[in-house]
Amino acid sequence: MPSIINISMAATAFSVAVMIIATAMINGFQQVISEKIFSFWGHYHITEYRAAGGALTEQDPFPEDASLVKRLSAIAQVKTVSPFATKSVIVKKGRETEGMIFKGSPAGQPLPFLIEGRATTVQDSGYASEVVVSASTAAALGLKLNDAMFMYFMRGDGLPPRVRKLTVCGIYKTGIEEYDKTYVIGDINLIRRLNDWAPDEIGGYEVHLHRFSDMDAAAGPISDEIINAELGLRSMQEIYPNIFDWLGLQNKNETIILIIMTIVAVINMITAMLILILERTNMVGILKALGMRNTSIQGIFLYQAGYIVIAGILIGNALGLGLAFLQQSTGLLRLPEEAYYMSVAPIAIQWWKVALINVGTLVICVLVLIIPSLLIRRILPVRAIQFK
């Protein structure tokens, strides 16, 4: 088999493999980071309306509404609805202190990002005197499971903070620095007690959906169920726009990679076609002298080029998918977690994108190859037969 055909197949296979791996990794990044964000905070928040946006600090209380929870839970896209509240605190262990935000959730609520210990449990005292801290906070303050720590809950109007001694019952890790260095998780009843709220008052509701792709479809139905004019609905994209802007940039990177690799494949195939035509000039002249039409000769070369493209695509699929599955199973490619929010490069294969890459590469390459094949029409039989 001529070397040009081997080179063309290899270049096409490389382009397809790179496109498959790039899309799988970018999809993996978006999926893993989105899941971390939404598992921690839900997809939407329902809180007292405030004109100013921004990240979560403290909320104005409002009474729980069982009918609202029931109506929201009936929406097809909604998975769970749970109350929460937050409060500014200073965490102290020995001489080490950290300014953080205490996130209050119902005691016993599962924490999907827990790596050690357990979630808070209901206590006879009316609130759980336990707390779940992040791995980075535990390392900074020298904390481990069952250690006691002092937490200073801030109050406004120049009042001194209220101090509580809490026990570390669990350690979590999301890998997102904005969360791990900011939040400690505890019982919402503790915030109620410290803020002098009524037993049924909360800071807001977290609305978890079944899928991230449901967010647009769920926004309207959720808003329609919020009858109280003082309540407002905000998505995580609004609360943490910097993270989602970063995720959006990955789509641009994906597009750029696909365009570059497609151009590489096209240039490679055009070059291969031109070389094949030059190598077979004598044959073209003989075929023309015997009466074969230009379209038939073009078809021969296009068939050969199509064979090269299809073979390259198949090899590229085997290489790209093979490397993707290898990364999925072994996690060989490691990442700096402080920069990428994860320690292992994630892979999420979307088969419709793989099919689109294959079909798109085949169609674009074959269509573009029609142009160099037109050179066959300019070859004269007499000169072609004498061509050396």
Side-chain angles (χ1 to χ4, degrees):
M1 186 180 290
S3 59
I4 184 59
I5 295 179
N6 290 328
I7 294 172
S8 300
M9 283 184 183
T12 304
F14 174 77
S15 299
V16 171
V18 169
M19 287 190 279
I20 290 174
I21 294 172
T23 56
M25 289 188 67
I26 290 172
N27 292 333
F29 273 114
Q30 294 174 328
Q31 180 177 310
V32 169
I33 294 173
S34 297
E35 287 176 355
K36 287 184 176 184
I37 294 171
F38 299 134
S39 66
F40 193 95
W41 270 125
H43 296 77
Y44 284 101
H45 278 184
I46 299 172
T47 57
E48 285 274 0
Y49 177 79
R50 289 183 178 181
L56 303 166
T57 52
E58 298 188 23
Q59 304 80 30
D60 296 324
F62 63 92
E64 288 191 78
D65 186 345
S67 63
L68 173 59
V69 174
K70 185 176 180 180
R71 294 196 306 271
L72 292 174
S73 300
I75 297 173
Q77 295 87 358
V78 174
K79 183 179 181 181
T80 60
V81 181
S82 56
F84 78 94
T86 58
K87 191 169 182 64
S88 299
V89 297
I90 293 177
V91 179
K92 185 175 182 180
K93 173 68 164 60
R95 295 184 178 181
E96 300 295 328
T97 59
E98 290 284 343
M100 306 188 75
I101 296 176
F102 184 96
K103 179 193 176 185
S105 302
Q109 182 169 293
L111 302 177
F113 33 81
L114 202 64
I115 59 173
E116 288 185 61
R118 55 173 175 79
T120 58
T121 56
V122 180
Q123 306 280 330
D124 294 335
S125 61
Y127 67 86
S129 57
E130 300 173 328
V131 70
V132 178
V133 301
S134 70
S136 60
T137 300
L141 298 178
L143 293 168
K144 57 183 182 298
L145 290 179
N146 301 317
D147 277 359
M149 59 187 293
F150 288 97
M151 192 170 293
Y152 297 79
F153 291 82
M154 310 307 295
R155 295 193 290 173
D157 301 325
L159 296 173
R162 288 179 171 174
V163 186
R164 290 293 185 275
K165 184 178 180 180
L166 304 175
T167 302
V168 177
C169 66
I171 297 176
Y172 77 88
K173 183 178 182 181
T174 66
I176 300 178
E177 187 176 1
E178 286 86 344
Y179 290 173
D180 291 349
K181 289 190 175 182
T182 304
Y183 293 100
V184 294
I185 304 170
D187 188 357
I188 190 174
N189 284 328
L190 177 55
I191 293 182
R192 286 171 175 152
R193 179 77 62 87
L194 294 168
N195 286 348
D196 298 320
W197 289 357
D200 66 339
E201 286 188 314
I202 61 174
Y205 286 110
E206 299 175 6
V207 181
H208 293 258
L209 306 180
H210 290 287
R211 292 173 296 275
F212 168 62
S213 57
D214 291 335
M215 288 193 69
D216 291 337
I222 293 174
S223 296
D224 294 340
E225 297 298 340
I226 303 175
I227 301 173
N228 188 340
E230 295 181 355
L231 298 181
L233 179 69
R234 298 177 67 197
S235 68
M236 282 300 104
Q237 289 99 321
E238 296 175 280
I239 298 172
Y240 290 104
N242 57 324
I243 296 178
F244 286 93
D245 288 343
W246 182 79
L247 287 177
L249 288 175
Q250 307 310 309
N251 291 327
K252 294 182 180 179
N253 293 337
E254 180 182 17
T255 302
I256 291 171
I257 291 172
L258 292 178
I259 291 174
I260 291 174
M261 289 298 102
T262 301
I263 291 173
V264 168
V266 167
I267 293 175
N268 161 71
M269 290 309 304
I270 289 176
T271 303
M273 174 66 86
L274 291 174
I275 294 174
L276 285 174
I277 292 173
L278 288 174
E279 288 182 343
R280 301 293 187 273
T281 301
N282 296 94
M283 182 192 76
V284 171
I286 294 172
L287 292 175
K288 282 193 173 187
L290 293 174
M292 182 174 283
R293 296 177 179 273
N294 287 324
T295 53
S296 299
I297 301 174
Q298 281 180 258
I300 294 173
F301 283 93
L302 288 175
Y303 174 83
Q304 181 68 31
Y307 164 76
I308 296 172
V309 174
I310 292 173
I313 289 174
L314 292 176
I315 296 171
N317 274 266
L319 179 62
L321 293 174
L323 291 174
F325 287 131
L326 179 65
Q327 176 63 20
Q328 268 187 330
S329 59
T330 64
L332 287 174
L333 182 58
R334 313 292 294 185
L335 298 172
E337 193 168 10
E338 64 277 4
Y340 292 96
Y341 306 132
M342 62 197 75
S343 58
V344 177
I347 295 293
I349 299 172
Q350 292 183 323
W351 293 104
W352 69 270
K353 286 190 175 182
V354 175
L356 188 62
I357 288 171
N358 292 334
V359 174
T361 301
L362 177 61
V363 171
I364 292 173
C365 286
V366 171
L367 289 178
V368 171
L369 289 176
I370 294 175
I371 298 174
S373 71
L374 294 176
L375 291 174
I376 293 172
R377 296 177 178 271
R378 302 178 64 87
I379 296 176
L380 300 176
V382 175
R383 292 183 179 179
I385 294 171
Q386 297 175 347
F387 180 77
K388 301 292 184 181

